[in-house]
Amino acid sequence: MSGGSPLLLVAACALVDPDGRVLLAQRPPGKSMAGLWEFPGGKVEAGERPEEALIRELAEELGIDVNEACLAPLTFASHDYGNFHLLMPLFVCRRWRGEVSAREGQELAWVRPLRMGTYPMPPADVPLVAALRDLL
């Protein structure tokens, strides 16, 4: 094994509403890459599967309850940020319980797939947009 950057596993979710729009969340001030738009999700903790991390993160960040059976894996991002390497599976979810609300002060936007490219995103998220456009 090479002496590269540590690997960070983060799970992300493209929530898709009945109108085919995708939820993007803006990184709040004070966080790295503040102001950029991303798919909701977060770090996979030790002993946690990506699906479990997403269910936990979506409840914490957005106040919604997602059933694991409603998470469909779509694609993943693998991106070197220099001080760490990000591996991020992207799941699609079309069904959840509760109303989506910004629980952590972040801005939220429901965006049509063809408009996602107009939102500035972290480098790892950018290639995921094309896979979503193709799906939706």
Side-chain angles (χ1 to χ4, degrees), residues 45-67:
E45 304 293 344
E48 206 175 35
R49 292 181 294 111
E51 295 86 349
E52 293 169 326
L54 261 187
I55 290 167
R56 175 181 51 75
E57 290 281 351
L58 294 173
E60 291 172 7
E61 292 178 15
L62 303 174
I64 59 172
D65 182 25
V66 174
N67 186 311

Side-chain angles (χ1 to χ4, degrees), residues 112-134:
R112 298 227 169 266
L114 291 175
R115 290 202 55 240
M116 282 192 290
T118 66
Y119 286 74
M121 296 180 139
D125 289 64
V126 172
L128 303 176
V129 170
L132 272 170
R133 276 197 306 252
D134 291 348

Side-chain angles (χ1 to χ4, degrees), residues 40-113:
K43 289 180 190 167
V44 178
E45 304 293 344
E48 206 175 35
R49 292 181 294 111
E51 295 86 349
E52 293 169 326
L54 261 187
I55 290 167
R56 175 181 51 75
E57 290 281 351
L58 294 173
E60 291 172 7
E61 292 178 15
L62 303 174
I64 59 172
D65 182 25
V66 174
N67 186 311
E68 187 171 333
C70 296
L71 292 173
L74 175 64
T75 187
F76 69 94
S78 180
H79 186 83
D80 188 5
Y81 279 102
N83 55 337
F84 67 93
H85 191 95
L86 179 77
L87 183 61
M88 184 170 65
L90 178 69
F91 293 80
V92 174
C93 179
R94 296 176 185 267
R95 294 181 57 198
W96 57 87
R97 287 185 294 284
E99 291 293 317
V100 170
S101 62
R103 292 266 175 105
E104 297 181 342
Q106 74 276 43
E107 292 293 319
L108 301 175
W110 289 100
V111 181
R112 298 227 169 266

